[in-house]
Amino acid sequence: MIKAVAIDDEPLALQILEALCARIEYVKLLKTFTSQAEAQRYLNKFEVDLLFLDIQMPRQNGIDLYKSLKQETKVIFTTAYSEYAVEGFNVSASDYILKPIAFDRFEEAVAKVKRTLDLEQQNTSANTHLTIRADYKLYNIPLDEIVFIEAMDDYVKINRVDKSTVVARSTMKGILKKLPETLFTRIHKSFIVNTAKVEAVQAGSIEIAGKEFPIGTTYKDQVNKNF
C-alpha cells in the first residue's frame, strides 16, 4: 500500500485527487492540505511514501517546499503550468502531471511510483543493490560498488569503486535506511562508508583507498562496535 499526502492551495484540486486515489486500490491518501505550514508539520512527524504536490502556490513554490522536507519521499507534481517540468525533474520527481488530470495519466504516474518502491523494497531485502533516482534516471547500484557516501546539503554523493559518482536528492538518514547496517556505517554527519572497503581505523579517522575520513564524536560508539 502506498501511503500518500496531497498538497494544493485549491480545495477543488484536492477533491479531484481524493477521487482519483480512491480508484486505485494500492493507494491510501492519508491527508490533504491547503496549508503548506500544516503539511510540513505533518510530514516532519509522519513518514509517507508519496506526495501529490502543486507547484504554483501562494506562500511557497511547491518545488521549494519539497526541497525543504526532512524526509525522503517520492513526489508527483501536479500543475497547470508546463514550464515547470524541467525544474520538477531536476529534484528527481517521479512524475509531473498537467491539470486538468486525466485518470489514465494519473494511474500511469502512480504505477511508476509503485514499481520504484517495489524494486527498492526487493533490493533492500536482498541486500544486493541500492535503488535510487537521480539525473532523470532510476539507478540500481550494486552495494559492493559503493565506497562511501557524502552529504551535500539536500543531496548525497555516492562514490563508487570505478570513481564515478551519483548525486541524488536525499538526506543521510534517508539513504542509510536503504542500506544494510551490516555492510555500511555512518562515521560522521557527512560520511557513510562501506565497511568492507575500510583499510585502517585510527583514533579519530578511517582510511579508505588512501583517503582519511574523520570519525564524528556522535558516531564513535557505532564505529567501535562495527570495527
Side-chain angles (χ1 to χ4, degrees):
M1 182 66 70
I2 296 175
K3 297 182 294 183
V5 163
I7 308 171
D8 198 303
D9 62 308
E10 298 180 7
L12 179 58
L14 293 175
Q15 291 174 25
I16 292 170
L17 286 171
E18 286 179 329
L20 291 168
C21 287
R23 296 176 63 181
I24 301 178
E25 61 181 8
Y26 55 82
V27 176
K28 183 176 182 180
L29 188 61
L30 301 174
K31 287 275 190 178
T32 62
F33 296 93
T34 55
S35 165
Q36 295 173 48
E38 288 181 14
Q40 283 180 306
R41 285 194 293 269
Y42 181 89
L43 292 168
N44 287 338
K45 187 175 181 180
F46 301 102
E47 289 194 6
V48 302
D49 302 311
L50 173 63
L51 291 179
F52 298 106
L53 182 56
D54 186 26
I55 292 181
Q56 190 76 357
M57 293 187 288
R59 179 174 171 268
Q60 186 181 31
N61 178 295
I63 292 172
D64 292 334
L65 171 62
Y66 180 62
K67 288 179 180 178
S68 73
L69 296 178
K70 294 179 181 179
Q71 68 165 285
E72 180 188 357
T73 185
K74 304 294 182 286
V75 62
I76 295 174
F77 286 114
T78 60
T79 181
Y81 302 94
S82 60
E83 61 265 29
Y84 288 109
V86 172
E87 190 177 356
F89 284 112
N90 280 340
V91 293
S92 300
S94 295
D95 214 329
Y96 180 100
I97 307 177
L98 288 176
K99 299 176 181 178
I101 301 172
F103 176 71
D104 287 351
R105 180 67 184 89
F106 180 83
E107 186 177 35
E108 175 189 356
V110 174
K112 184 189 298 184
V113 172
K114 186 177 186 301
R115 288 194 297 272
T116 300
L117 290 171
D118 287 347
L119 182 58
E120 289 177 357
Q121 182 60 45
Q122 289 168 15
N123 288 333
T124 299
S125 300
N127 289 339
T128 59
H129 291 71
L130 170 66
T131 303
I132 195 162
R133 185 174 293 278
D135 306 322
Y136 314 106
K137 303 174 186 174
L138 186 64
Y139 285 86
N140 199 28
I141 306 171
L143 296 180
D144 60 4
E145 289 186 2
I146 301 172
V147 181
F148 68 95
I149 299 171
E150 182 179 1
M152 299 174 60
D153 295 323
D154 297 325
Y155 293 80
V156 294
K157 181 191 286 187
I158 301 165
N159 294 265
R160 299 193 278 186
V161 171
D162 62 3
K163 297 187 179 180
S164 66
T165 61
V166 174
V167 177
R169 186 181 185 279
S170 177
T171 61
M172 293 290 273
K173 181 179 178 181
I175 199 155
L176 194 60
K177 288 170 64 176
K178 296 175 179 286
L179 299 167
E181 59 182 24
T182 55
L183 300 178
F184 290 85
T185 302
R186 189 170 186 180
I187 65 167
H188 188 274
K189 66 179 182 180
S190 298
F191 296 106
I192 295 169
V193 300
N194 185 333
T195 55
K197 308 297 183 186
V198 173
E199 297 169 351
V201 181
Q202 303 178 52
S205 65
I206 279 178
E207 186 175 324
I208 301 175
K211 293 183 178 181
E212 283 196 7
F213 298 85
I215 299 173
T217 303
T218 306
Y219 306 96
K220 280 186 177 179
D221 289 343
Q222 188 63 43
V223 171
N224 292 334
K225 177 182 175 182
N226 289 2
F227 296 99

